[in-house]
C-alpha cells in the first residue's frame, strides 16, 4: 500500500486536513492509535492527571487521556520532543511537553535537543526559530495557521525600506517575526532581554520592530532613542489601565503583573512586568496572596497547576493562534509527520545570525 493510501486509511480526527508532507515520505506514516478510554489508559495516565487536576474537572480527563498516552508513545517511536510555550493549554503544557518556557528558553533549548524531530507547541514564528537553530532536525507545527499579529505586521521589504529611511541605524527585531524579517535585521530580542539587546548596540538610535508597546516599555528604561514600528499583539493591546485600576480598587492588596507587550499605561500601574517565564518566576518565588496575571489565559492555569497558596485572578484574553494547537493536532502531527517547517537555506543563514547574536549576548 502506498504512503498516501496508508494515510487515507488511518482514522483521522474530524475538521482538519493537510496534504502528506515530505517528512511523511521520509519517515513513513504510522497507524492512528486507538483512542478509547480504557482501564490501561486510565492507569498509565493517572500521574499526569495529578498535574492538571487543580484546573481540570475529572469529567474532562477521559477525553484528553487517550491522546496524552498516544502522543507520549509516538514521541518515543519518532525520537521526538515537544517544545511548548507557556500559553499552551494545561493538558499540552503539563502532560505531553518535554520542554516548556518563554520564547527565549524555547529558542535556546531547540538548539540543544538531541531529538530527530521537534514538534512545536506554539505559533509559527517559534517553529521557524527552532528550525533556524536546529537546521538538521525535522521541525513540525501541528497547525501552520497558528500565526501571530506581531509577526504578520511586517515583512522583509518593510525592513529594507526602514533601512533606506534611517541609514546606518541598527535594527532590532523581536523574535515574534518571520524568518524573512529576521534575515534583514542586525539582531533579535525577546521580551526578557530587549533592554539589554538595545543597549548592547552602542548606538544612540535604534529601530525596534514590530511591537510598538514593547518598544515604548523599553524606551521608558533607556536613553537610546527608539524608532518603533506600529505592530501590536492582539491579545495584550486589549488590556487597559482603567481595567487594572478597577481590580486594585476592589482589592488594594492585589499584585498585578503584566507582559511588556501590554500598553505602557498598563505596565505603569503594574507591580512587575516581564516575559512569560519572568512572570512565572515572580509568582513562584514571591508567592503573592492574590495575583492578577495580565497576559494570555492559559498561563494562569499553567502556573496555578504548579503553585499552591496563590489565588489567581484572570482577566481572560485568549490568543486564538496559540489555541490552534490541540492534542488531536499534535497526535496527527506525529502520525503523519506534518506540517513540516522549511526555510530557504540562504535566508535561514542570515536569519540565524540575528538569533544567534542575541543568544551569544547571554
Ligand atoms: P514570551 O517570550 O514572554 O514568552 O512572549 C511570547 C509571546 O508571544 C507573548 O505574547
Ligand atoms: Fe502573537 Fe500576541 Fe499570540 Fe503572543 S499572544 S503569539 S504576541 S498574538
Amino acid at each position: 500500500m502506498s504512503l498516501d493510501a496508508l494515510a487515507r486509511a488511518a482514522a483521522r480526527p474530524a475538521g482538519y486536513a493537510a496534504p502528506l508532507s515530505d517528512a511523511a515520505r521520509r519517515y513513513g506514516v504510522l497507524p492512528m492509535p486507538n483512542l478509547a478510554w480504557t482501564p490501561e489508559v486510565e492507569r498509565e495516565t493517572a500521574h499526569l492527571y495529578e498535574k492538571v487536576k487543580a484546573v481540570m474537572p475529572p469529567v474532562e480527563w477521559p477525553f484528553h487521556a487517550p491522546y496524552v498516552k498516544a502522543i507520549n508513545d509516538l514521541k518515543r517511536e519518532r525520537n521526538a520532543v515537544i517544545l511548548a510555550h507557556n500559553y499552551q493549554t494545561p493538558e499540552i503544557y503539563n502532560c505531553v511537553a518535554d520542554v516548556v518556557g518563554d520564547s527565549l528558553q524555547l529558542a535556546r533549548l531547540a538548539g540543544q535537543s538531541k531529538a530527530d524531530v521537534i514538534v512545536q507547541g506554539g505559533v509559527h514564528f517559534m517553529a521557524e526559530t527552532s528550525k533556524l537553530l536546529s537546521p538538521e532536525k525535522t521541525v513540525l507545527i501541528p497547525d501552520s495557521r497558528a500565526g501571530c499579529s506581531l509577526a504578520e505586521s511586517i515583512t522583509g521589504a518593510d525592513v529594507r525600506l526602514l533601512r533606506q529611511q534611517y541609514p546606518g541605524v541598527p535594527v532590532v527585531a523581536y523574535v515574534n517575526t518571520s524568518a524573512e524579517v529576521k534575515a534583514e535585521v542586525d539582531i533579535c530580542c525577546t521580551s526578557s532581554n530587549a533592554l539589554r539587546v538595545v543597549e548592547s548596540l552602542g548606538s544612540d538610535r535604534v529601530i525596534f520592530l514590530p511591537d510598538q508597546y514593547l518598544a515604548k516599555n523599553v524606551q521608558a528604561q533607556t536613553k537610546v532613542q527608539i524608532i518603533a514600528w506600529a505592530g501590536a499583539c492582539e491579545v495584550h493591546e486589549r488590556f487597559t489601565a482603567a481595567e487594572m485600576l478597577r481590580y486594585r480598587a476592589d482589592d488594594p492588596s492585589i499584585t498585578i503583573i503584566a507582559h511588556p507587550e501590554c500598553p505602557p499605561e498598563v505596565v505603569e500601574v503594574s507591580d512587575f512586568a516581564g516575559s512569560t517565564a519572568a512572570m512565572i518566576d515572580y509568582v513562584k518565588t514571591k508567592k503573592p496572596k492574590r495575583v492578577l496575571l495580565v497576559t494570555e489565559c492559559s498561563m494562569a492555569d499553567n502556573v496555578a497547576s504548579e503553585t499552591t497558596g496563590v489565588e489567581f485572578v484572570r482577566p481572560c484574553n485568549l490568543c486564538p493562534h496559540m489555541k490552534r494547537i490541540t492534542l488531536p493536532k499534535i497526535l496527527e502531527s506525529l502520525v503523519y509527520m506534518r506540517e513540516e517547517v522549511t526555510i530557504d537555506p540562504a535566508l535561514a543563514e542570515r536569519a540565524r545570525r540575528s538569533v544567534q547574536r542575541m543568544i551569544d549576548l547571554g
Side-chain angles (χ1 to χ4, degrees):
M1 197 189 255
S2 73
L3 284 179
D4 288 290
L6 252 180
R8 278 195 302 277
R12 304 163 60 106
Y16 179 65
L20 199 61
S21 68
D22 283 348
R25 293 175 206 287
R26 293 199 306 278
Y27 287 83
V29 173
L30 294 169
M32 182 60 77
N34 177 10
L35 294 169
W37 169 242
T38 61
E40 184 201 355
V41 172
E42 184 172 9
R43 200 174 46 249
E44 287 191 22
T45 59
H47 65 293
L48 296 171
Y49 181 62
E50 284 302 303
K51 291 174 147 193
V52 289
K53 70 178 186 196
V55 292
M56 186 184 291
V59 69
E60 279 184 29
W61 185 240
F63 294 96
H64 295 303
Y67 285 98
V68 166
K69 174 169 162 34
I71 289 167
N72 286 330
D73 290 346
L74 281 186
K75 275 193 316 192
R76 282 189 286 277
E77 201 157 335
R78 294 291 200 194
N79 189 23
V81 284
I82 297 181
L83 306 185
H85 185 261
N86 292 324
Y87 293 163
Q88 292 291 283
T89 52
E91 64 277 9
I92 294 175
Y93 181 93
N94 290 286
C95 304
V96 298
D98 298 282
V99 173
V100 294
D102 67 8
S103 307
L104 182 59
Q105 291 169 326
L106 295 182
R108 284 207 173 112
L109 292 161
Q112 291 165 15
S113 164
K114 299 255 182 305
D116 296 321
V117 177
I118 290 175
V119 180
Q120 195 81 33
V123 294
H124 194 263
F125 78 80
M126 294 177 179
E128 276 194 336
T129 309
S130 294
K131 183 68 185 173
L132 291 175
L133 296 175
S134 302
E136 73 298 346
K137 294 189 176 71
T138 298
V139 176
L140 304 174
I141 182 151
D143 187 337
S144 63
R145 297 169 301 172
C148 168
S149 63
L150 282 170
E152 275 135 40
S153 72
I154 189 161
T155 64
D158 292 326
V159 182
R160 290 194 291 276
L161 282 174
L162 279 171
R163 285 209 189 268
Q164 277 174 24
Q165 203 179 341
Y166 299 99
V169 178
V171 185
V172 177
Y174 192 26
V175 280
N176 296 39
T177 44
S178 63
E180 184 209 53
V181 165
K182 290 184 174 80
E184 297 292 339
V185 305
D186 296 292
I187 187 166
C188 287
C189 75
T190 71
S191 53
S192 57
N193 60 19
L195 176 64
R196 187 143 42 96
V197 168
V198 163
E199 295 197 330
S200 75
L201 296 168
S203 171
D204 51 10
R205 279 204 306 173
V206 162
I207 297 169
F208 188 99
L209 54 91
D211 187 352
Q212 59 182 302
Y213 298 125
L214 181 59
K216 285 184 186 147
N217 287 323
V218 173
Q219 183 67 88
Q221 303 171 66
T222 182
K223 290 196 165 44
V224 177
Q225 187 201 339
I226 293 187
I227 302 160
W229 187 251
C233 161
E234 67 188 81
V235 176
H236 292 93
E237 72 173 345
R238 300 212 305 269
F239 294 110
T240 65
E243 192 186 351
M244 302 304 124
L245 293 172
R246 276 198 300 275
Y247 280 107
R248 235 202 245 295
D250 279 352
D251 176 2
S253 71
I254 199 165
T255 300
I256 302 181
I257 61 178
H259 195 278
E261 287 170 12
C262 292
E265 317 82 75
V266 171
V267 170
E268 269 161 34
V269 297
S270 303
D271 297 293
F272 174 76
S275 75
T276 55
M279 292 169 87
I280 294 175
D281 211 43
Y282 184 98
V283 173
K284 286 185 178 170
T285 53
K286 301 244 188 254
K287 292 247 182 178
K289 218 159 128 306
R290 264 187 111 217
V291 67
L292 182 74
L293 288 187
V294 190
T295 190
E296 210 268 350
C297 284
S298 290
M299 244 224 1
D301 285 339
N302 293 333
V303 204
S305 62
E306 294 172 335
T307 322
T308 51
V310 178
E311 185 192 339
F312 291 86
V313 182
R314 306 157 197 211
C316 199
N317 283 353
L318 275 175
C319 173
H321 310 290
M322 287 281 178
K323 274 20 203 205
R324 282 192 184 276
I325 310 300
T326 60
L327 288 179
K329 287 186 200 164
I330 293 175
L331 179 63
E332 280 214 327
S333 213
L334 287 163
V335 166
Y336 299 107
M337 295 301 289
R338 71 176 183 224
E339 300 179 45
E340 187 174 13
V341 176
T342 55
I343 306 171
D344 169 75
L347 185 136
E349 184 59 41
R350 290 161 55 221
R352 188 177 307 114
R353 233 179 289 142
S354 306
V355 180
Q356 196 57 51
R357 203 169 159 200
M358 164 186 81
I359 290 175
D360 292 345
L361 266 186

